[in-house]
Amino acid sequence: GNSVTQMEGPVTLSEEAFLTINCTYTATGYPSLFWYVQYPGEGLQLLLKATKADDKGSNKGFEATYRKETTSFHLEKGSVQVSDSAVYFCALGPDAGNNRKLIWGLGTSLAVNP
Amino acid sequence: KAGVTQTPRYLIKTRGQQVTLSCSPISGHRSVSWYQQTPGQGLQFLFEYFSETQRNKGNFPGRFSGRQFSNSRSEMNVSTLELGDSALYLCASSSGGATGYEQYFGPGTRLTVT
């Protein structure tokens, strides 16, 4: 069945460092892909999405490209800030095979130090 | 538009008791999904309701149940609470249509079972 694999955390970076959080997927068809972010004490917020191959989602300086050939959707940011400290979740959208459910990665915790 | 609201935000219960959590989705959204989030298990899908009918169900015991009302508000009930039910319970709403599976989360209800 469909699945999502995220790199394990925690990831600890210094402010202004480059960030990559890896996400790979297994899916039948070409479902949409999402990155969600959860700040401490809050629910999840949609960060960005891509709906088809080669699409690039971007928001708040974060980017991710839907790569069909490598079945990946890695999250990147060129210069992280302390305020980016949060847990990041990769999610696979529904397709004909999974009854309209989102499939979630386990989350990657990011801590950014000043 | 008002966001997804969940009540109560915090709850402390004793083993064996039951609990009811409430979720009000974004106005116009007809789909409500419930998730359990724990440090060890990540984000676990409980069930989804769409137009008052359960459309999807995760792998949780029958002690976990839910319902949705005609105004799309949803409740989740857990009977005979166990210590392992301590978690953050998240509700997410979406429009639920053919492409409306982008989910918007509430802040969660933190349940502690003692």
Side-chain angles (χ1 to χ4, degrees), chain A residues 31-32 34 36 38 41-46 49 51 87 89 93-94 98-102 104-106, chain B residues 9 35 37 41-43 45 48 55-57 88 90 96-107:
Chain A
S32 295
F34 304 87
Y36 280 78
Q38 184 177 31
E42 299 182 13
L44 280 70
Q45 302 174 24
L46 178 65
K49 67 178 182 181
T51 58
V87 181
F89 292 88
N98 68 352
N99 296 321
R100 300 185 54 79
K101 289 190 300 183
L102 292 181
W104 295 87
L106 292 179
Chain B
R9 291 292 311 276
Y35 295 87
Q37 187 178 27
Q41 298 295 318
L43 205 62
F45 173 76
E48 180 208 4
R55 185 160 71 173
N56 278 303
K57 189 176 187 306
L88 181 67
L90 293 164
T99 57
Y101 43 77
E102 188 172 305
Q103 296 193 333
Y104 298 83
F105 283 80

mmCIF file of all heavy atoms in Angstrom, chain A residues 31-32 34 36 38 41-46 49 51 87 89 93-94 98-102 104-106, chain B residues 9 35 37 41-43 45 48 55-57 88 90 96-107:
data_model
loop_
_atom_site.group_PDB
_atom_site.id
_atom_site.type_symbol
_atom_site.label_atom_id
_atom_site.label_comp_id
_atom_site.label_asym_id
_atom_site.label_seq_id
_atom_site.Cartn_x
_atom_site.Cartn_y
_atom_site.Cartn_z
ATOM 1 N N PRO A 31 -0.561 10.803 -6.426
ATOM 2 C CA PRO A 31 -1.288 11.617 -5.445
ATOM 3 C C PRO A 31 -0.557 12.916 -5.143
ATOM 4 O O PRO A 31 0.638 13.060 -5.421
ATOM 5 C CB PRO A 31 -1.306 10.708 -4.212
ATOM 6 C CG PRO A 31 -0.088 9.856 -4.367
ATOM 7 C CD PRO A 31 0.063 9.619 -5.845
ATOM 8 N N SER A 32 -1.242 13.850 -4.540
ATOM 9 C CA SER A 32 -0.619 15.092 -4.084
ATOM 10 C C SER A 32 0.280 14.816 -2.882
ATOM 11 O O SER A 32 0.121 13.814 -2.184
ATOM 12 C CB SER A 32 -1.697 16.098 -3.670
ATOM 13 O OG SER A 32 -2.476 16.469 -4.772
ATOM 14 N N PHE A 34 2.233 16.761 0.585
ATOM 15 C CA PHE A 34 2.086 17.887 1.496
ATOM 16 C C PHE A 34 3.220 17.902 2.523
ATOM 17 O O PHE A 34 3.741 16.852 2.904
ATOM 18 C CB PHE A 34 0.770 17.787 2.293
ATOM 19 C CG PHE A 34 -0.465 17.686 1.456
ATOM 20 C CD1 PHE A 34 -0.925 16.459 1.006
ATOM 21 C CD2 PHE A 34 -1.175 18.825 1.122
ATOM 22 C CE1 PHE A 34 -2.073 16.370 0.239
ATOM 23 C CE2 PHE A 34 -2.329 18.744 0.358
ATOM 24 C CZ PHE A 34 -2.781 17.511 -0.079
ATOM 25 N N TYR A 36 3.389 19.554 6.378
ATOM 26 C CA TYR A 36 2.716 20.246 7.471
ATOM 27 C C TYR A 36 3.747 20.564 8.543
ATOM 28 O O TYR A 36 4.736 19.857 8.704
ATOM 29 C CB TYR A 36 1.613 19.373 8.081
ATOM 30 C CG TYR A 36 0.326 19.348 7.307
ATOM 31 C CD1 TYR A 36 0.189 18.566 6.158
ATOM 32 C CD2 TYR A 36 -0.767 20.106 7.717
ATOM 33 C CE1 TYR A 36 -1.004 18.542 5.450
ATOM 34 C CE2 TYR A 36 -1.961 20.089 7.018
ATOM 35 C CZ TYR A 36 -2.070 19.303 5.884
ATOM 36 O OH TYR A 36 -3.257 19.283 5.194
ATOM 37 N N GLN A 38 4.120 21.652 12.795
ATOM 38 C CA GLN A 38 3.461 21.742 14.100
ATOM 39 C C GLN A 38 4.380 22.480 15.055
ATOM 40 O O GLN A 38 5.419 21.950 15.466
ATOM 41 C CB GLN A 38 3.134 20.354 14.631
ATOM 42 C CG GLN A 38 2.360 20.374 15.947
ATOM 43 C CD GLN A 38 1.989 18.987 16.430
ATOM 44 O OE1 GLN A 38 2.700 18.023 16.182
ATOM 45 N NE2 GLN A 38 0.871 18.869 17.134
ATOM 46 N N GLY A 41 2.886 23.191 21.151
ATOM 47 C CA GLY A 41 1.590 23.491 21.765
ATOM 48 C C GLY A 41 0.466 23.783 20.794
ATOM 49 O O GLY A 41 -0.613 24.201 21.204
ATOM 50 N N GLU A 42 0.697 23.544 19.505
ATOM 51 C CA GLU A 42 -0.330 23.865 18.512
ATOM 52 C C GLU A 42 -0.688 22.641 17.671
ATOM 53 O O GLU A 42 -0.036 21.599 17.738
ATOM 54 C CB GLU A 42 0.160 24.987 17.594
ATOM 55 C CG GLU A 42 0.453 26.283 18.326
ATOM 56 C CD GLU A 42 0.883 27.389 17.368
ATOM 57 O OE1 GLU A 42 0.723 27.224 16.142
ATOM 58 O OE2 GLU A 42 1.387 28.409 17.858
ATOM 59 N N GLY A 43 -1.747 22.797 16.874
ATOM 60 C CA GLY A 43 -2.086 21.767 15.905
ATOM 61 C C GLY A 43 -1.209 21.895 14.671
ATOM 62 O O GLY A 43 -0.324 22.755 14.606
ATOM 63 N N LEU A 44 -1.452 21.053 13.688
ATOM 64 C CA LEU A 44 -0.656 21.077 12.462
ATOM 65 C C LEU A 44 -1.165 22.168 11.525
ATOM 66 O O LEU A 44 -2.369 22.429 11.445
ATOM 67 C CB LEU A 44 -0.728 19.733 11.746
ATOM 68 C CG LEU A 44 0.151 18.612 12.265
ATOM 69 C CD1 LEU A 44 -0.309 18.100 13.611
ATOM 70 C CD2 LEU A 44 0.197 17.465 11.248
ATOM 71 N N GLN A 45 -0.238 22.770 10.772
ATOM 72 C CA GLN A 45 -0.597 23.764 9.765
ATOM 73 C C GLN A 45 -0.018 23.320 8.436
ATOM 74 O O GLN A 45 1.115 22.839 8.380
ATOM 75 C CB GLN A 45 0.011 25.129 10.094
ATOM 76 C CG GLN A 45 -0.363 25.728 11.409
ATOM 77 C CD GLN A 45 0.421 26.998 11.669
ATOM 78 O OE1 GLN A 45 0.891 27.658 10.742
ATOM 79 N NE2 GLN A 45 0.570 27.360 12.925
ATOM 80 N N LEU A 46 -0.792 23.500 7.383
ATOM 81 C CA LEU A 46 -0.270 23.198 6.062
ATOM 82 C C LEU A 46 0.845 24.195 5.726
ATOM 83 O O LEU A 46 0.655 25.409 5.789
ATOM 84 C CB LEU A 46 -1.381 23.301 5.016
ATOM 85 C CG LEU A 46 -0.947 23.059 3.573
ATOM 86 C CD1 LEU A 46 -0.463 21.613 3.396
ATOM 87 C CD2 LEU A 46 -2.090 23.360 2.612
ATOM 88 N N LYS A 49 2.367 22.454 -0.581
ATOM 89 C CA LYS A 49 1.875 21.250 -1.235
ATOM 90 C C LYS A 49 2.276 21.255 -2.703
ATOM 91 O O LYS A 49 2.635 22.294 -3.258
ATOM 92 C CB LYS A 49 0.355 21.152 -1.119
ATOM 93 C CG LYS A 49 -0.386 22.215 -1.898
ATOM 94 C CD LYS A 49 -1.889 22.033 -1.781
ATOM 95 C CE LYS A 49 -2.626 23.093 -2.615
ATOM 96 N NZ LYS A 49 -4.101 22.959 -2.513
ATOM 97 N N THR A 51 0.816 19.164 -6.349
ATOM 98 C CA THR A 51 -0.255 18.285 -6.805
ATOM 99 C C THR A 51 0.128 17.382 -7.972
ATOM 100 O O THR A 51 -0.616 16.454 -8.290
ATOM 101 C CB THR A 51 -1.495 19.101 -7.189
ATOM 102 O OG1 THR A 51 -1.124 20.028 -8.209
ATOM 103 C CG2 THR A 51 -2.039 19.860 -5.992
ATOM 104 N N VAL A 87 7.947 20.635 14.584
ATOM 105 C CA VAL A 87 7.944 19.285 14.019
ATOM 106 C C VAL A 87 7.336 19.364 12.627
ATOM 107 O O VAL A 87 6.286 19.984 12.439
ATOM 108 C CB VAL A 87 7.152 18.300 14.902
ATOM 109 C CG1 VAL A 87 7.191 16.901 14.289
ATOM 110 C CG2 VAL A 87 7.714 18.264 16.311
ATOM 111 N N PHE A 89 5.913 17.382 9.205
ATOM 112 C CA PHE A 89 5.300 16.130 8.757
ATOM 113 C C PHE A 89 5.133 16.149 7.242
ATOM 114 O O PHE A 89 4.579 17.101 6.678
ATOM 115 C CB PHE A 89 3.911 15.946 9.374
ATOM 116 C CG PHE A 89 3.907 15.719 10.849
ATOM 117 C CD1 PHE A 89 3.869 16.781 11.733
ATOM 118 C CD2 PHE A 89 3.922 14.432 11.367
ATOM 119 C CE1 PHE A 89 3.851 16.587 13.107
ATOM 120 C CE2 PHE A 89 3.910 14.211 12.735
ATOM 121 C CZ PHE A 89 3.879 15.297 13.599
ATOM 122 N N GLY A 93 -1.218 12.447 -0.298
ATOM 123 C CA GLY A 93 -2.642 12.622 -0.499
ATOM 124 C C GLY A 93 -3.320 11.355 -0.957
ATOM 125 O O GLY A 93 -2.662 10.385 -1.330
ATOM 126 N N PRO A 94 -4.640 11.355 -0.927
ATOM 127 C CA PRO A 94 -5.377 10.152 -1.314
ATOM 128 C C PRO A 94 -5.333 9.928 -2.823
ATOM 129 O O PRO A 94 -5.161 10.852 -3.599
ATOM 130 C CB PRO A 94 -6.799 10.457 -0.855
ATOM 131 C CG PRO A 94 -6.892 11.932 -0.836
ATOM 132 C CD PRO A 94 -5.528 12.436 -0.495
ATOM 133 N N ASN A 98 -6.559 4.434 -1.583
ATOM 134 C CA ASN A 98 -6.507 4.532 -0.128
ATOM 135 C C ASN A 98 -7.683 5.285 0.457
ATOM 136 O O ASN A 98 -7.571 5.917 1.487
ATOM 137 C CB ASN A 98 -5.178 5.146 0.319
ATOM 138 C CG ASN A 98 -5.052 6.602 -0.076
ATOM 139 O OD1 ASN A 98 -5.882 7.114 -0.809
ATOM 140 N ND2 ASN A 98 -4.026 7.264 0.412
ATOM 141 N N ASN A 99 -8.819 5.191 -0.213
ATOM 142 C CA ASN A 99 -10.060 5.672 0.385
ATOM 143 C C ASN A 99 -9.999 7.104 0.893
ATOM 144 O O ASN A 99 -10.529 7.398 1.953
ATOM 145 C CB ASN A 99 -10.475 4.738 1.532
ATOM 146 C CG ASN A 99 -10.796 3.350 1.032
ATOM 147 O OD1 ASN A 99 -11.397 3.200 -0.031
ATOM 148 N ND2 ASN A 99 -10.361 2.355 1.752
ATOM 149 N N ARG A 100 -9.315 7.966 0.210
ATOM 150 C CA ARG A 100 -9.321 9.388 0.517
ATOM 151 C C ARG A 100 -8.623 9.742 1.821
ATOM 152 O O ARG A 100 -8.811 10.814 2.342
ATOM 153 C CB ARG A 100 -10.748 9.928 0.517
ATOM 154 C CG ARG A 100 -11.481 9.791 -0.786
ATOM 155 C CD ARG A 100 -12.825 10.473 -0.702
ATOM 156 N NE ARG A 100 -12.683 11.841 -0.267
ATOM 157 C CZ ARG A 100 -12.313 12.847 -1.037
ATOM 158 N NH1 ARG A 100 -12.025 12.628 -2.310
ATOM 159 N NH2 ARG A 100 -12.210 14.066 -0.567
ATOM 160 N N LYS A 101 -7.820 8.858 2.380
ATOM 161 C CA LYS A 101 -7.093 9.194 3.598
ATOM 162 C C LYS A 101 -5.729 9.783 3.247
ATOM 163 O O LYS A 101 -5.092 9.376 2.290
ATOM 164 C CB LYS A 101 -6.855 7.935 4.448
ATOM 165 C CG LYS A 101 -8.087 7.389 5.106
ATOM 166 C CD LYS A 101 -7.728 6.313 6.100
ATOM 167 C CE LYS A 101 -7.009 5.155 5.479
ATOM 168 N NZ LYS A 101 -6.745 4.084 6.460
ATOM 169 N N LEU A 102 -5.280 10.711 4.057
ATOM 170 C CA LEU A 102 -3.903 11.155 3.960
ATOM 171 C C LEU A 102 -3.020 10.112 4.655
ATOM 172 O O LEU A 102 -3.413 9.542 5.665
ATOM 173 C CB LEU A 102 -3.717 12.507 4.637
ATOM 174 C CG LEU A 102 -4.377 13.724 3.989
ATOM 175 C CD1 LEU A 102 -4.065 14.978 4.793
ATOM 176 C CD2 LEU A 102 -3.891 13.897 2.565
ATOM 177 N N TRP A 104 0.535 9.665 6.566
ATOM 178 C CA TRP A 104 1.457 10.565 7.253
ATOM 179 C C TRP A 104 2.805 9.927 7.547
ATOM 180 O O TRP A 104 2.883 8.744 7.904
ATOM 181 C CB TRP A 104 0.847 11.002 8.593
ATOM 182 C CG TRP A 104 -0.393 11.819 8.434
ATOM 183 C CD1 TRP A 104 -1.671 11.366 8.318
ATOM 184 C CD2 TRP A 104 -0.462 13.238 8.326
ATOM 185 N NE1 TRP A 104 -2.535 12.417 8.151
ATOM 186 C CE2 TRP A 104 -1.820 13.584 8.166
ATOM 187 C CE3 TRP A 104 0.488 14.261 8.362
ATOM 188 C CZ2 TRP A 104 -2.253 14.906 8.036
ATOM 189 C CZ3 TRP A 104 0.059 15.570 8.233
ATOM 190 C CH2 TRP A 104 -1.293 15.884 8.070
ATOM 191 N N GLY A 105 3.847 10.749 7.439
ATOM 192 C CA GLY A 105 5.144 10.347 7.965
ATOM 193 C C GLY A 105 5.145 10.517 9.475
ATOM 194 O O GLY A 105 4.192 11.056 10.058
ATOM 195 N N LEU A 106 6.212 10.060 10.121
ATOM 196 C CA LEU A 106 6.273 10.087 11.578
ATOM 197 C C LEU A 106 6.646 11.446 12.148
ATOM 198 O O LEU A 106 6.582 11.651 13.360
ATOM 199 C CB LEU A 106 7.259 9.031 12.080
ATOM 200 C CG LEU A 106 6.822 7.586 11.866
ATOM 201 C CD1 LEU A 106 7.894 6.633 12.384
ATOM 202 C CD2 LEU A 106 5.500 7.299 12.548
ATOM 203 N N ARG B 9 -9.597 22.060 25.773
ATOM 204 C CA ARG B 9 -8.192 22.013 25.374
ATOM 205 C C ARG B 9 -7.393 21.049 26.229
ATOM 206 O O ARG B 9 -6.437 20.428 25.745
ATOM 207 C CB ARG B 9 -7.567 23.403 25.482
ATOM 208 C CG ARG B 9 -8.083 24.414 24.467
ATOM 209 C CD ARG B 9 -7.659 24.063 23.038
ATOM 210 N NE ARG B 9 -6.235 23.778 22.918
ATOM 211 C CZ ARG B 9 -5.297 24.694 22.765
ATOM 212 N NH1 ARG B 9 -5.624 25.977 22.722
ATOM 213 N NH2 ARG B 9 -4.022 24.341 22.656
ATOM 214 N N TYR B 35 -7.436 12.388 14.857
ATOM 215 C CA TYR B 35 -6.136 11.750 14.973
ATOM 216 C C TYR B 35 -5.729 11.696 16.447
ATOM 217 O O TYR B 35 -6.056 12.576 17.229
ATOM 218 C CB TYR B 35 -5.051 12.536 14.229
ATOM 219 C CG TYR B 35 -5.220 12.607 12.736
ATOM 220 C CD1 TYR B 35 -5.996 13.604 12.152
ATOM 221 C CD2 TYR B 35 -4.579 11.697 11.908
ATOM 222 C CE1 TYR B 35 -6.135 13.679 10.772
ATOM 223 C CE2 TYR B 35 -4.704 11.768 10.528
ATOM 224 C CZ TYR B 35 -5.484 12.760 9.978
ATOM 225 O OH TYR B 35 -5.607 12.835 8.616
ATOM 226 N N GLN B 37 -2.245 11.689 18.646
ATOM 227 C CA GLN B 37 -0.809 11.948 18.512
ATOM 228 C C GLN B 37 -0.114 11.655 19.827
ATOM 229 O O GLN B 37 -0.458 12.231 20.873
ATOM 230 C CB GLN B 37 -0.545 13.403 18.107
ATOM 231 C CG GLN B 37 0.924 13.665 17.803
ATOM 232 C CD GLN B 37 1.190 15.082 17.349
ATOM 233 O OE1 GLN B 37 0.454 16.008 17.696
ATOM 234 N NE2 GLN B 37 2.225 15.255 16.561
ATOM 235 N N GLN B 41 4.183 6.998 18.886
ATOM 236 C CA GLN B 41 3.469 6.482 17.711
ATOM 237 C C GLN B 41 3.211 7.518 16.634
ATOM 238 O O GLN B 41 2.680 7.203 15.578
ATOM 239 C CB GLN B 41 2.125 5.880 18.144
ATOM 240 C CG GLN B 41 2.250 4.701 19.085
ATOM 241 C CD GLN B 41 2.922 3.527 18.425
ATOM 242 O OE1 GLN B 41 2.651 3.208 17.276
ATOM 243 N NE2 GLN B 41 3.829 2.892 19.143
ATOM 244 N N GLY B 42 3.557 8.760 16.896
ATOM 245 C CA GLY B 42 3.312 9.770 15.873
ATOM 246 C C GLY B 42 1.829 10.064 15.724
ATOM 247 O O GLY B 42 1.064 9.991 16.679
ATOM 248 N N LEU B 43 1.430 10.350 14.489
ATOM 249 C CA LEU B 43 0.057 10.750 14.187
ATOM 250 C C LEU B 43 -0.703 9.519 13.700
ATOM 251 O O LEU B 43 -0.409 8.978 12.651
ATOM 252 C CB LEU B 43 0.103 11.817 13.097
ATOM 253 C CG LEU B 43 -1.033 12.804 12.961
ATOM 254 C CD1 LEU B 43 -1.163 13.627 14.212
ATOM 255 C CD2 LEU B 43 -0.766 13.707 11.771
ATOM 256 N N PHE B 45 -4.342 7.868 12.608
ATOM 257 C CA PHE B 45 -5.675 8.194 12.118
ATOM 258 C C PHE B 45 -6.720 7.380 12.863
ATOM 259 O O PHE B 45 -6.620 6.148 12.952
ATOM 260 C CB PHE B 45 -5.741 7.914 10.620
ATOM 261 C CG PHE B 45 -7.095 8.046 10.005
ATOM 262 C CD1 PHE B 45 -7.628 9.295 9.757
ATOM 263 C CD2 PHE B 45 -7.825 6.927 9.658
ATOM 264 C CE1 PHE B 45 -8.877 9.425 9.170
ATOM 265 C CE2 PHE B 45 -9.077 7.041 9.072
ATOM 266 C CZ PHE B 45 -9.604 8.297 8.824
ATOM 267 N N GLU B 48 -12.812 9.286 10.004
ATOM 268 C CA GLU B 48 -13.261 10.467 9.278
ATOM 269 C C GLU B 48 -14.769 10.407 9.107
ATOM 270 O O GLU B 48 -15.329 9.344 8.809
ATOM 271 C CB GLU B 48 -12.609 10.549 7.896
ATOM 272 C CG GLU B 48 -13.057 11.782 7.116
ATOM 273 C CD GLU B 48 -13.009 11.606 5.602
ATOM 274 O OE1 GLU B 48 -12.699 10.501 5.126
ATOM 275 O OE2 GLU B 48 -13.298 12.595 4.902
ATOM 276 N N ARG B 55 -16.710 7.698 7.012
ATOM 277 C CA ARG B 55 -16.241 7.364 5.664
ATOM 278 C C ARG B 55 -14.959 6.541 5.691
ATOM 279 O O ARG B 55 -14.689 5.773 4.777
ATOM 280 C CB ARG B 55 -16.039 8.659 4.879
ATOM 281 C CG ARG B 55 -15.666 8.446 3.428
ATOM 282 C CD ARG B 55 -15.948 9.663 2.579
ATOM 283 N NE ARG B 55 -15.047 10.779 2.827
ATOM 284 C CZ ARG B 55 -15.044 11.887 2.107
ATOM 285 N NH1 ARG B 55 -15.862 12.016 1.092
ATOM 286 N NH2 ARG B 55 -14.217 12.885 2.394
ATOM 287 N N ASN B 56 -14.160 6.744 6.737
ATOM 288 C CA ASN B 56 -12.916 6.001 6.870
ATOM 289 C C ASN B 56 -12.694 5.692 8.339
ATOM 290 O O ASN B 56 -13.139 6.447 9.211
ATOM 291 C CB ASN B 56 -11.716 6.816 6.369
ATOM 292 C CG ASN B 56 -11.550 6.768 4.881
ATOM 293 O OD1 ASN B 56 -11.426 5.695 4.304
ATOM 294 N ND2 ASN B 56 -11.575 7.911 4.239
ATOM 295 N N LYS B 57 -11.980 4.608 8.589
ATOM 296 C CA LYS B 57 -11.727 4.228 9.976
ATOM 297 C C LYS B 57 -10.310 3.688 10.093
ATOM 298 O O LYS B 57 -9.857 2.938 9.230
ATOM 299 C CB LYS B 57 -12.728 3.156 10.402
ATOM 300 C CG LYS B 57 -12.716 2.814 11.873
ATOM 301 C CD LYS B 57 -13.818 1.802 12.184
ATOM 302 C CE LYS B 57 -13.956 1.569 13.689
ATOM 303 N NZ LYS B 57 -12.690 1.177 14.327
ATOM 304 N N LEU B 88 -2.472 13.642 22.647
ATOM 305 C CA LEU B 88 -3.077 14.835 22.063
ATOM 306 C C LEU B 88 -4.025 14.359 20.971
ATOM 307 O O LEU B 88 -3.613 13.619 20.070
ATOM 308 C CB LEU B 88 -1.997 15.743 21.470
ATOM 309 C CG LEU B 88 -2.477 17.041 20.838
ATOM 310 C CD1 LEU B 88 -3.060 17.989 21.883
ATOM 311 C CD2 LEU B 88 -1.329 17.729 20.085
ATOM 312 N N LEU B 90 -6.261 15.344 17.884
ATOM 313 C CA LEU B 90 -6.378 16.406 16.895
ATOM 314 C C LEU B 90 -7.558 16.156 15.980
ATOM 315 O O LEU B 90 -7.814 15.030 15.564
ATOM 316 C CB LEU B 90 -5.100 16.492 16.060
ATOM 317 C CG LEU B 90 -3.849 16.953 16.797
ATOM 318 C CD1 LEU B 90 -2.595 16.634 15.991
ATOM 319 C CD2 LEU B 90 -3.919 18.448 17.071
ATOM 320 N N GLY B 96 -13.885 18.094 1.748
ATOM 321 C CA GLY B 96 -14.331 16.716 1.557
ATOM 322 C C GLY B 96 -14.764 16.366 0.148
ATOM 323 O O GLY B 96 -15.153 15.243 -0.120
ATOM 324 N N GLY B 97 -14.663 17.315 -0.771
ATOM 325 C CA GLY B 97 -15.083 17.022 -2.133
ATOM 326 C C GLY B 97 -14.045 16.231 -2.894
ATOM 327 O O GLY B 97 -13.093 15.738 -2.315
ATOM 328 N N ALA B 98 -14.215 16.161 -4.193
ATOM 329 C CA ALA B 98 -13.338 15.315 -5.019
ATOM 330 C C ALA B 98 -11.868 15.701 -4.888
ATOM 331 O O ALA B 98 -10.988 14.852 -4.906
ATOM 332 C CB ALA B 98 -13.771 15.399 -6.484
ATOM 333 N N THR B 99 -11.586 16.987 -4.736
ATOM 334 C CA THR B 99 -10.193 17.410 -4.553
ATOM 335 C C THR B 99 -9.994 18.122 -3.230
ATOM 336 O O THR B 99 -8.930 18.654 -2.966
ATOM 337 C CB THR B 99 -9.771 18.358 -5.688
ATOM 338 O OG1 THR B 99 -10.673 19.472 -5.706
ATOM 339 C CG2 THR B 99 -9.806 17.659 -7.032
ATOM 340 N N GLY B 100 -10.979 18.135 -2.387
ATOM 341 C CA GLY B 100 -10.904 18.911 -1.142
ATOM 342 C C GLY B 100 -10.412 18.110 0.030
ATOM 343 O O GLY B 100 -11.081 18.035 1.058
ATOM 344 N N TYR B 101 -9.248 17.498 -0.097
ATOM 345 C CA TYR B 101 -8.748 16.711 1.025
ATOM 346 C C TYR B 101 -7.637 17.416 1.783
ATOM 347 O O TYR B 101 -7.045 16.852 2.682
ATOM 348 C CB TYR B 101 -8.260 15.348 0.539
ATOM 349 C CG TYR B 101 -7.463 15.399 -0.736
ATOM 350 C CD1 TYR B 101 -6.149 15.815 -0.740
ATOM 351 C CD2 TYR B 101 -8.051 15.035 -1.943
ATOM 352 C CE1 TYR B 101 -5.435 15.859 -1.913
ATOM 353 C CE2 TYR B 101 -7.333 15.073 -3.121
ATOM 354 C CZ TYR B 101 -6.018 15.493 -3.102
ATOM 355 O OH TYR B 101 -5.309 15.540 -4.269
ATOM 356 N N GLU B 102 -7.328 18.651 1.427
ATOM 357 C CA GLU B 102 -6.367 19.451 2.191
ATOM 358 C C GLU B 102 -6.972 19.685 3.561
ATOM 359 O O GLU B 102 -8.110 20.156 3.679
ATOM 360 C CB GLU B 102 -6.162 20.771 1.463
ATOM 361 C CG GLU B 102 -5.079 21.638 1.978
ATOM 362 C CD GLU B 102 -4.873 22.810 1.043
ATOM 363 O OE1 GLU B 102 -4.652 22.570 -0.163
ATOM 364 O OE2 GLU B 102 -4.970 23.952 1.516
ATOM 365 N N GLN B 103 -6.241 19.345 4.598
ATOM 366 C CA GLN B 103 -6.811 19.359 5.937
ATOM 367 C C GLN B 103 -6.343 20.546 6.754
ATOM 368 O O GLN B 103 -5.190 20.962 6.665
ATOM 369 C CB GLN B 103 -6.463 18.057 6.663
ATOM 370 C CG GLN B 103 -7.082 16.840 5.994
ATOM 371 C CD GLN B 103 -7.028 15.603 6.848
ATOM 372 O OE1 GLN B 103 -6.159 15.456 7.695
ATOM 373 N NE2 GLN B 103 -7.968 14.705 6.622
ATOM 374 N N TYR B 104 -7.254 21.059 7.573
ATOM 375 C CA TYR B 104 -6.993 22.178 8.457
ATOM 376 C C TYR B 104 -7.225 21.688 9.890
ATOM 377 O O TYR B 104 -8.301 21.193 10.210
ATOM 378 C CB TYR B 104 -7.917 23.347 8.128
ATOM 379 C CG TYR B 104 -7.705 23.881 6.741
ATOM 380 C CD1 TYR B 104 -8.319 23.282 5.645
ATOM 381 C CD2 TYR B 104 -6.855 24.964 6.507
ATOM 382 C CE1 TYR B 104 -8.106 23.751 4.362
ATOM 383 C CE2 TYR B 104 -6.647 25.447 5.223
ATOM 384 C CZ TYR B 104 -7.277 24.827 4.162
ATOM 385 O OH TYR B 104 -7.056 25.293 2.896
ATOM 386 N N PHE B 105 -6.199 21.864 10.712
ATOM 387 C CA PHE B 105 -6.221 21.269 12.048
ATOM 388 C C PHE B 105 -6.615 22.255 13.133
ATOM 389 O O PHE B 105 -6.310 23.453 13.052
ATOM 390 C CB PHE B 105 -4.833 20.716 12.393
ATOM 391 C CG PHE B 105 -4.522 19.413 11.717
ATOM 392 C CD1 PHE B 105 -4.103 19.386 10.399
ATOM 393 C CD2 PHE B 105 -4.644 18.221 12.403
ATOM 394 C CE1 PHE B 105 -3.823 18.188 9.764
ATOM 395 C CE2 PHE B 105 -4.355 17.015 11.785
ATOM 396 C CZ PHE B 105 -3.952 17.006 10.465
ATOM 397 N N GLY B 106 -7.264 21.721 14.152
ATOM 398 C CA GLY B 106 -7.494 22.463 15.370
ATOM 399 C C GLY B 106 -6.289 22.365 16.287
ATOM 400 O O GLY B 106 -5.322 21.658 15.968
ATOM 401 N N PRO B 107 -6.324 23.043 17.430
ATOM 402 C CA PRO B 107 -5.177 23.055 18.337
ATOM 403 C C PRO B 107 -5.036 21.775 19.146
ATOM 404 O O PRO B 107 -3.989 21.539 19.758
ATOM 405 C CB PRO B 107 -5.470 24.232 19.261
ATOM 406 C CG PRO B 107 -6.966 24.318 19.272
ATOM 407 C CD PRO B 107 -7.409 23.914 17.894
#
